[in-house]
Amino acid sequence: MAQMGHDKFYICAHDRGARVAHKLCVNHPDMVLKAMFLDIAPTLAMYNRTDFTFAKAYYHWFFLIQPSPFPEDLINSNPEAFMEASMGRQARMKIFNQDCLKSYTEVMKDPAAVHAMCEDYRAAASIDLEEHKEDDHKGRKIQCPIMVLWGQQGIIEKCFDAIEEWKKVSNSTVAGESLDCGHYIPEEAPDALLSHILRFLT
């Protein structure tokens, strides 16, 4: 962002991007004015509170962190099948713009991209957790106001108290609500999301 000429900015991020945004807020509190996180709880909280319901729904968290090249080899053998199993069966795949879905599929056919994806999850279950624990121990928390949105049909609603979990890692205000959708808020509830963005990120 500094290279693009922005010394202060707002963030709205979903899923993996929101996990990066969380760490960005902690490491650079003077740069982030406000942050909006979509359909996640803090990574450490999600691992610490893993139960059968969470593990069954988010099986890929535990599959992708297995040592290379086991998950990579299985995904590369049929990337389309992995995408459908991970992103939703055909009925739910219809929520995605077809051009975007085609791009996602093409990327998933690239073994280097698959390896990078697995490495992201491996980091989330190793060094990222250690850094989260260190931040907690040293009292490093998010300093900017946070808005959290999550899907009523998603796993965050079923397994976590999103507002309370984000309050534990924040020194500022935390607000939010569930929306009438699943995990893919930008695709499933774009109007509601835009309304929240326009009200909060100002």
Side-chain angles (χ1 to χ4, degrees), residues 44 129-140:
L44 181 59
L129 292 185
E130 293 306 312
E131 290 185 358
H132 282 310
K133 292 174 183 176
E134 183 179 358
D135 288 339
D136 287 348
H137 178 69
K138 294 184 177 180
R140 292 196 294 255

Side-chain angles (χ1 to χ4, degrees), residues 9-161:
F9 46 86
Y10 301 99
I11 295 177
C12 177
H14 176 252
D15 199 333
R16 309 308 296 180
R19 302 190 190 285
V20 175
H22 175 192
K23 188 60 175 172
L24 175 61
C25 289
V26 172
N27 288 359
H28 302 280
D30 56 326
M31 300 185 74
V32 184
L33 298 170
K34 291 182 180 180
M36 180 178 287
F37 301 142
L38 306 182
D39 210 61
I40 72 164
T43 306
L44 181 59
M46 294 181 74
Y47 271 118
N48 283 345
R49 295 183 179 276
T50 293
D51 60 11
F52 179 79
T53 300
F54 175 72
K56 182 179 179 181
Y58 273 39
Y59 74 93
H60 61 285
W61 275 37
F62 308 96
F63 166 60
L64 296 174
I65 66 175
Q66 300 306 310
S68 179
F70 174 61
E72 287 93 335
D73 287 346
L74 294 184
I75 295 169
N76 290 331
S77 69
N78 195 335
E80 292 93 342
F82 176 76
M83 277 192 60
E84 184 174 320
S86 301
M87 298 177 69
R89 299 299 177 185
Q90 285 298 329
R92 290 203 58 215
M93 296 292 270
K94 294 178 181 178
I95 66 174
F96 297 102
N97 175 281
Q98 292 305 300
D99 289 336
C100 293
L101 192 59
K102 182 179 179 181
S103 295
Y104 300 156
T105 303
E106 288 304 311
V107 170
M108 193 61 67
K109 293 178 180 178
D110 180 358
V114 171
H115 178 64
M117 176 181 67
C118 293
E119 288 291 278
D120 173 53
Y121 280 83
R122 290 176 185 128
S126 55
I127 187 171
D128 289 358
L129 292 185
E130 293 306 312
E131 290 185 358
H132 282 310
K133 292 174 183 176
E134 183 179 358
D135 288 339
D136 287 348
H137 178 69
K138 294 184 177 180
R140 292 196 294 255
K141 297 186 176 184
I142 297 171
Q143 304 299 319
C144 68
I146 302 171
M147 170 71 69
V148 185
L149 303 175
W150 65 95
Q152 292 175 4
Q153 291 103 49
I155 202 66
I156 300 299
E157 173 77 9
K158 294 178 181 177
C159 295
F160 304 97
D161 186 333

